[in-house]
Amino acid sequence: MRAIILSDTHGSRNKLCETVAALGDFDVLVHLGDGASDLDAVRPYINADIIAVKGNNDIFTNLPEWRAIELCGQKVYCCHGHNAGVRGKRDTLARLAGEAGCSLAFYGHTHSQADETIDGVRCMNPGSIGYPVGGRAVIEMTDDGGETNIRFITGL
């Protein structure tokens, strides 16, 4: 299985389409909010499941603000992060993920890539597709023979 995690497209549908085209085949696309409606631009062109959560700018959507999902054999907490105060410390994010039974949390909102472990929870941010700080990137999560690998793909 190959999952792609991205965030904060902010109406940049062309950048989203370019990014998705550059990634090749994948099984799941996770959007962490702020531009979830931009997914309509890529839906016809990908053969993958799409999972999305609501960001602070996704005003007219009924998406949930967070989800605990199974990806590549891991239980993962997905949120935009604005309600967890991710611009400061990510302690609240780690606590919420832990309470949901997750040891991995994906979040957006800050537009900056991040990877840190807090109280046993790995907290990762792919940055922004629409307005990146430090360059466009996504997170790739794969399950190769029972081993889960997670890495940033940059230079998109």
Side-chain angles (χ1 to χ4, degrees), residues 27 43 137:
D27 304 295
R43 278 183 210 280

Side-chain angles (χ1 to χ4, degrees), residues 20-44:
V20 168
L23 293 168
D25 292 333
F26 50 87
D27 304 295
V28 178
L29 178 65
V30 178
H31 191 294
L32 299 171
D34 277 5
S37 66
D38 299 334
L39 292 167
D40 293 340
V42 296
R43 278 183 210 280

Side-chain angles (χ1 to χ4, degrees), residues 49-111:
D49 292 330
I50 296 177
I51 299 168
V53 294
K54 182 178 185 172
N56 58 298
N57 289 308
D58 293 319
I59 299 167
F60 301 109
T61 181
N62 292 325
L63 290 170
E65 292 193 359
W66 65 274
R67 294 177 188 241
I69 61 173
E70 184 87 18
L71 275 182
C72 300
Q74 303 271 330
K75 192 165 180 193
V76 181
Y77 186 85
C78 299
C79 69
H80 185 62
H82 62 292
N83 289 332
V86 297
R87 287 200 191 273
K89 292 184 174 185
R90 265 76 49 210
D91 295 352
T92 299
L93 174 66
R95 179 182 53 76
L96 292 169
E99 288 173 357
C102 302
S103 59
L104 178 60
F106 292 134
Y107 69 100
H109 191 56
T110 67
H111 294 213

Side-chain angles (χ1 to χ4, degrees), residues 12-26:
S12 298
R13 290 178 174 216
N14 287 342
K15 289 180 185 176
L16 174 60
C17 289
E18 291 168 6
T19 300
V20 168
L23 293 168
D25 292 333
F26 50 87

